[in-house]
Amino acid sequence: MALGILMIVFVVMSVVSILGLIMLYMVRSEKAGRGVFYAMAIWGLIVAVLSAISFPGNWMAHQIIAWGFGFLSVAGIIVNVAVKREGKCIPAYLLVTVSVIGGLCGFFGMFL
């Protein structure tokens, strides 16, 4: 029973992440792109928090890595706000992308 629920959580989180990242790079409207960017940055933070609190308390290295992926989303937001150019800020998008993908892989134990 619990493995079935975990599989559903994995599929839902994967689909949300994949669709969100595709939308992040494909949206043409600047306003919609900004909204998707901030939504994915918040999603990266949520995934990092879930990943960090899912590890036991004595697995500090894994927790620090999970929090590191969350701080990549924060760094992406800072880079996006700091750069006052028109259009997309690709470095900020890449930071959020790495945060979401790395956090998701770390959450499901794919490389930690």
Side-chain angles (χ1 to χ4, degrees), residues 37-79:
F37 171 76
Y38 286 117
M40 290 309 295
I42 292 170
W43 179 250
L45 289 171
I46 290 170
V47 170
V49 168
L50 290 174
S51 179
I53 64 173
S54 69
F55 289 116
N58 59 348
W59 289 21
M60 291 303 296
H62 295 313
Q63 290 179 351
I64 291 170
I65 291 170
W67 286 114
F69 284 123
F71 287 126
L72 285 177
S73 281
V74 174
I77 292 172
I78 292 170
V79 168

Side-chain angles (χ1 to χ4, degrees), residues 14-48:
S14 297
V15 167
V16 168
S17 298
I18 290 169
L19 290 178
L21 290 175
I22 288 172
M23 286 177 52
L24 182 67
Y25 290 103
M26 295 297 174
V27 169
R28 299 277 185 211
S29 170
E30 185 177 335
K31 187 174 182 180
R34 192 174 330 126
V36 172
F37 171 76
Y38 286 117
M40 290 309 295
I42 292 170
W43 179 250
L45 289 171
I46 290 170
V47 170

